[in-house]
């Protein structure tokens, strides 16, 4: 345990609980939401966007239209491969004013930019997904283009652990190694659960770090809710001469007692009044 | 046509329950799962028959060839997923390992069509019929409700050919006549009429029973449930179209590659050219909505669109 918390870490910690509140609000107002994985991925996405390690300044302003033209884009790339955990990305982008926060209430409503699975129509989002296993390959394509164009941009991809059961992930690992995509960083949200049980029961990934190492990647392991550790590793990742995998050990349903480690909270139609109040209370305690 | 609220029921539940029942008598029935056990209502099956429930994880291509291998060894295999992943991700595996090798695998795919409302475009599969219809050896079925789902599952469990069965996410109206039996290659005339043939597959066909427009009250509609998409019941379809001379095909699928295209082809090959309207999604992706009816209206395949189509085709 790191006893020293920098002001930045403290800021991220507080923000993490505030945005958890947004996620809980969405779970109360939404028609359907994947909450377990969104709560586990939140701190990782927050670190990517708010730790000043990467550059996400260009698309921030609501007033200027998002820059989508690849040749004019100067921001680093972020790709969310498990499209179902998009609520976690949406609350971060709303906080950064990529779009108005009011829009969160319209999540998956007809006509809203905030689709049930992440969509490129959201300002700042490069890639629509929902079908698991494709995002890391897409990110590798982006990273290769930058490498060939001699751009210094970083491509950060977030993948989920269950998603690693898809063969395509392993095809991407070989590809990134072959082309030495050293500006590609894959953060794995290892929350150890999927829809119908623990990843260990459904299809064990066993020693994921060893597998990545054998595929030629640089591997770091972190506690995915410890901002000190995450930001330290993200900084280190920028210096690698190979593609980097950060295995982030996270808690499924992080922060809400009755959701933690319960795969039945993979997705839900709507929180009950009782659940909503309880979750709100728990978050409030952390914000005190 | 009554104004009564229809009873709703789940095609997925009907599938899970029927399979459970059949598995107690037929020890050869296997399930190959890709982390969608609960969604396809197979939790009971998995508990009762752990050795016949094969969990492959989120790995559709692998699971598909495993299913084919099990089938080649004499099992009747149900490969269960969502249509956005199976037959979408694993299509080439279905073609080679299941269809070309003619293995007894039943592909059961839930969450088809715009009915998967809130999830948005990636999970609203509108191309599945096109993908499976084109494959030799493959039979294609799209039950209109939970009652018909039960009948179709009982039939395919006893057949020896590859088959695709299209299920949906929400509970949908019950309207299939319990007394009717399902036969491969047979369509049912659910309501006899003489002015317009309305033909479709899946729960969307129920909208044909919900036309309550005064100006259309005198019209006599013939409503045909075309759940057997391949093989098609050309006899019933041609007979009806010859009688009415007007045909509306409605489906929760892309126009391109859907049932409407198969029917148009059938008509042309038989030198028939009735007035024809195809209500289906027109070369667009889906999107999220809280209520499916909003999407049906937006993509012009809802009751409003059907009412307009009826007016247009009789004018
Ligand atoms: C290709 C594909 N197959 C199946 C699904 C259905 N699905 C959605 S989430 C999920 C479980 C994913 O588990 P994991 O990747 O670990 O996500 P998390 O637990 O973090 O939500 C599955 C199987 C999908 N979206 N894509």
């Amino acid at each position: 345990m790191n006893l020293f918390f920098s002001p930045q870490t403290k800021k991220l910690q507080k923000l993490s609980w505030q945005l958890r509140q947004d996620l809980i609000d969405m779970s109360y107002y939404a028609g359907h939401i994947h909450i377990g994985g969104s709560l586990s991925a939140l701190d990782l996405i927050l670190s990517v966007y708010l730790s000043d390690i990467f550059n996400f300044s260009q698309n921030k302003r609501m007033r200027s239209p998002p820059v989508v033209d690849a040749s004019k884009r100067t921001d680093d790339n972020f790709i969310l491969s498990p499209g179902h955990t998009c609520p976690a990305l949406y609350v971060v982008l709303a906080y950064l004013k990529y779009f108005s926060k009011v829009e969160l209430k319209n999540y998956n409503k007809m006509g809203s930019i905030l689709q049930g699975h992440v969509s490129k129509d959201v300002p700042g989002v490069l890639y629509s997904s929902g079908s698991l296993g494709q995002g890391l390959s897409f990110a590798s394509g982006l990273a290769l283009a930058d490498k060939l164009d001699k751009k210094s941009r970083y491509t950060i991809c977030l993948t989920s652990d269950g998603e690693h059961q898809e063969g395509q992930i392993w095809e991407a690992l070989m590809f990134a190694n072959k082309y030495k995509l050293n500006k590609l960083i894959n953060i794995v949200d290892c929350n150890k659960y999927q829809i119908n049980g623990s990843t260990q029961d459904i299809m064990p990934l066993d020693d994921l770090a060893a597998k990545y190492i054998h595929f030629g990647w640089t591997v770091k392991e972190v506690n995915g809710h410890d901002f000190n550790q995450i930001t330290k590793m993200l900084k280190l990742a920028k210096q690698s001469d190979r593609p980097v995998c950060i295995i982030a050990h996270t808690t499924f349903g992080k922060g809400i007692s009755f959701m933690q480690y319960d795969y039945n909270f993979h997705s839900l139609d709507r929180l009950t009044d009782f659940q909503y109040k309880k979750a709100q209370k728990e978050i409030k305690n952390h914000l005190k | 046509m009554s104004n009564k609220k229809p009873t709703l029921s789940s095609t997925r539940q009907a599938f899970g329950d029927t399979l459970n029942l059949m598995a107690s008598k037929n020890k050869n029935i296997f399930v190959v799962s890709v982390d969608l056990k609960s969604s396809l209502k197979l939790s009971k099956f998995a508990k009762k028959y752990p050795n016949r429930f094969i969990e492959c994880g989120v790995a559709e291509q692998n699971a598909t060839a495993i299913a084919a291998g099990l089938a080649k060894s004499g099992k009747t295999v149900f490969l269960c997923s969502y249509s956005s992943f199976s037959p979408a991700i694993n299509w080439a595996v279905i073609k080679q390992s299941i269809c070309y090798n003619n293995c007894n695998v039943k592909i059961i795919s839930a969450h088809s069509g715009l009915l998967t409302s809130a999830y948005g475009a990636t999970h609203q599969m509108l191309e599945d019929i096109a993908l499976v219809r084109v494959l030799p050896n493959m039979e294609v079925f799209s039950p209109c409700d939970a009652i018909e789902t039960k009948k179709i599952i009982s039939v395919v469990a006893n057949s020896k050919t590859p088959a695709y069965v299209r299920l949906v996410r929400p509970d949908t109206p019950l309207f299939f006549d319990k007394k009717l039996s399902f036969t491969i290659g047979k369509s049912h005339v659910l309501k006899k009429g003489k002015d317009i043939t309305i033909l479709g597959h899946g729960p969307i066909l129920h909208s044909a029973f919900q036309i309550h427009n005064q100006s259309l009250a005198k019209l006599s509609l013939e409503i045909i449930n075309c759940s057997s998409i391949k093989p098609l019941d050309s006899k019933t379809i041609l007979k009806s179209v010859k009688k009415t001379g007007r045909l509306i095909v409605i489906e929760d699928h892309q126009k391109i590659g859907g049932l409407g295209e198969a029917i148009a082809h059938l008509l042309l090959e038989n030198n028939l050219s009735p007035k024809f309207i195809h209500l289906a999604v027109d070369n667009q992706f889906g999107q999220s909505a809280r209520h499916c009816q909003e999407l049906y209206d937006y993509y012009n395949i809802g009751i409003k669109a059907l009412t307009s189509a009826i007016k247009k085709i009789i004018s």
Side-chain angles (χ1 to χ4, degrees), chain B residues 136-192:
Chain B
N137 288 343
M138 179 74 90
E139 292 176 340
V140 180
F141 309 114
S142 175
C144 67
D145 67 5
I147 302 169
E148 196 183 20
T149 302
K150 277 188 188 167
K151 306 211 175 206
I152 291 181
I153 297 303
S154 324
V155 169
V156 297
N158 289 313
S159 81
K160 291 280 175 235
T161 46
Y164 176 74
V165 183
R166 182 186 221 230
L167 307 180
V168 297
R169 179 168 192 266
D171 294 355
T172 54
L174 290 178
F175 65 109
F176 192 77
D177 188 339
K178 274 198 184 104
K179 282 169 280 175
L180 292 175
S181 62
F182 174 83
T183 314
I184 293 172
K186 181 101 189 62
S187 281
H188 287 110
V189 179
L190 296 180
K191 185 186 159 296
K192 275 197 184 277

Side-chain angles (χ1 to χ4, degrees), chain A residues 166-182:
Chain A
E166 288 286 359
Q168 188 174 346
I169 293 270
W170 305 93
E171 296 166 24
L173 295 197
M174 284 186 275
F175 180 90
N177 176 45
K178 176 187 172 190
Y179 285 97
K180 294 282 168 284
L181 301 178
N182 60 315

Side-chain angles (χ1 to χ4, degrees), chain A residues 47-65:
Chain A
S47 305
V48 169
Y49 275 89
L50 272 127
S51 58
D52 296 325
I53 299 170
F54 299 104
N55 176 25
F56 288 104
S57 53
Q58 191 184 22
N59 274 333
K60 260 191 202 172
R61 302 274 162 269
M62 247 198 294
R63 272 157 275 136
S64 56

Side-chain angles (χ1 to χ4, degrees), chain A residues 37 84-85 130-132 160-163 166 189 191 193-195 252 266, chain B residues 34-36 58 60 85 89 123:
Chain A
H84 67 278
T85 58
S131 196
L132 293 166
S160 50
D161 52 356
E163 187 179 26
E166 288 286 359
D189 173 12
N191 62 24
Y193 288 92
Q194 47 197 100
I195 296 188
F252 188 86
H266 170 77
Chain B
V34 286
D35 193 24
L36 289 169
V58 198
E60 292 79 9
F85 317 128
I89 290 178
H123 283 59

Side-chain angles (χ1 to χ4, degrees), chain A residues 1-64:
Chain A
M1 199 59 184
N2 201 327
L3 292 175
F4 173 73
F5 294 119
S6 69
Q8 188 197 43
T9 305
K10 275 192 191 140
K11 184 189 144 195
L12 288 175
Q13 262 165 358
K14 183 160 178 229
L15 197 56
S16 161
W17 287 107
Q18 281 168 0
L19 299 192
R20 242 164 259 284
Q21 178 62 53
D22 290 343
L23 285 175
I24 292 307
D25 289 344
M26 284 172 81
S27 310
Y28 188 59
Y29 294 112
H32 181 264
I33 187 166
H34 290 90
I35 189 65
S38 297
L39 286 166
S40 69
L42 177 66
D43 293 343
L44 304 171
I45 300 176
L46 206 51
S47 305
V48 169
Y49 275 89
L50 272 127
S51 58
D52 296 325
I53 299 170
F54 299 104
N55 176 25
F56 288 104
S57 53
Q58 191 184 22
N59 274 333
K60 260 191 202 172
R61 302 274 162 269
M62 247 198 294
R63 272 157 275 136
S64 56

Side-chain angles (χ1 to χ4, degrees), chain A:
Chain A
M1 199 59 184
N2 201 327
L3 292 175
F4 173 73
F5 294 119
S6 69
Q8 188 197 43
T9 305
K10 275 192 191 140
K11 184 189 144 195
L12 288 175
Q13 262 165 358
K14 183 160 178 229
L15 197 56
S16 161
W17 287 107
Q18 281 168 0
L19 299 192
R20 242 164 259 284
Q21 178 62 53
D22 290 343
L23 285 175
I24 292 307
D25 289 344
M26 284 172 81
S27 310
Y28 188 59
Y29 294 112
H32 181 264
I33 187 166
H34 290 90
I35 189 65
S38 297
L39 286 166
S40 69
L42 177 66
D43 293 343
L44 304 171
I45 300 176
L46 206 51
S47 305
V48 169
Y49 275 89
L50 272 127
S51 58
D52 296 325
I53 299 170
F54 299 104
N55 176 25
F56 288 104
S57 53
Q58 191 184 22
N59 274 333
K60 260 191 202 172
R61 302 274 162 269
M62 247 198 294
R63 272 157 275 136
S64 56
V67 182
V68 282
D69 179 349
S71 62
K72 299 202 181 91
R73 231 163 19 81
T74 55
D75 278 2
D76 285 322
N77 294 324
F78 178 72
I79 299 299
L80 180 67
S81 185
H84 67 278
T85 58
C86 59
L89 178 60
Y90 291 166
V91 295
V92 173
L93 293 180
Y95 171 78
L96 288 170
K97 300 204 178 349
Y98 278 73
F99 53 84
S100 162
K101 199 180 152 180
V102 192
E103 195 60 26
L104 292 178
K105 273 203 177 154
N106 295 329
Y107 173 61
N108 72 31
K109 257 194 194 161
M110 181 89 190
S112 167
I113 52 168
L114 303 185
Q115 297 288 298
H117 287 76
V118 75
S119 150
K120 61 169 179 30
D121 295 336
V122 179
V125 173
L126 277 177
Y127 178 65
S128 309
S129 65
S131 196
L132 293 166
Q134 302 182 26
L136 190 58
S137 306
F138 186 86
S140 300
L142 292 172
L144 178 63
D146 283 341
K147 185 156 191 155
L148 297 175
D149 293 343
K150 303 209 167 18
K151 284 192 179 150
S152 58
R153 194 202 333 260
Y154 286 88
T155 296
I156 305 107
C157 182
L158 186 97
T159 51
S160 50
D161 52 356
E163 187 179 26
H164 280 69
Q165 292 156 358
E166 288 286 359
Q168 188 174 346
I169 293 270
W170 305 93
E171 296 166 24
L173 295 197
M174 284 186 275
F175 180 90
N177 176 45
K178 176 187 172 190
Y179 285 97
K180 294 282 168 284
L181 301 178
N182 60 315
K183 291 193 158 49
L184 175 65
I185 301 168
N186 179 26
I187 308 176
V188 187
D189 173 12
C190 253
N191 62 24
K192 295 160 197 77
Y193 288 92
Q194 47 197 100
I195 296 188
N196 286 144
S198 73
T199 301
Q200 191 59 29
D201 285 344
I202 300 286
M203 184 57 65
L205 299 172
D206 293 332
D207 192 345
L208 195 58
K211 289 179 181 172
Y212 267 87
I213 290 168
H214 279 296
F215 275 77
W217 286 53
T218 300
V219 181
K220 316 268 179 207
E221 297 205 49
V222 299
N223 171 343
H225 301 296
D226 178 332
F227 289 105
N228 267 344
Q229 280 190 31
I230 306 168
T231 50
K232 194 173 136 201
M233 286 308 168
L234 285 175
K235 273 181 208 148
L236 272 179
K238 284 177 105 172
Q239 286 147 30
S240 172
D241 55 356
R242 298 151 181 242
V244 180
C245 172
I246 298 179
I247 296 180
H249 297 282
T250 56
T251 302
F252 188 86
K254 168 74 182 174
I256 313 299
S257 61
F258 58 91
M259 292 187 189
Q260 291 195 155
Y261 313 107
D262 182 355
Y263 60 82
N264 291 308
F265 281 94
H266 170 77
S267 72
L268 49 86
D269 284 340
R270 171 177 286 222
L271 285 181
T272 63
D273 288 346
F274 177 76
Q275 290 171 328
Y276 183 50
K277 280 199 190 110
K278 187 161 163 54
Q280 272 182 318
K281 206 168 143 195
E282 291 182 14
I283 292 171
K284 237 179 228 140
N285 284 339
H286 285 279
L287 282 169
K288 260 181 205 156

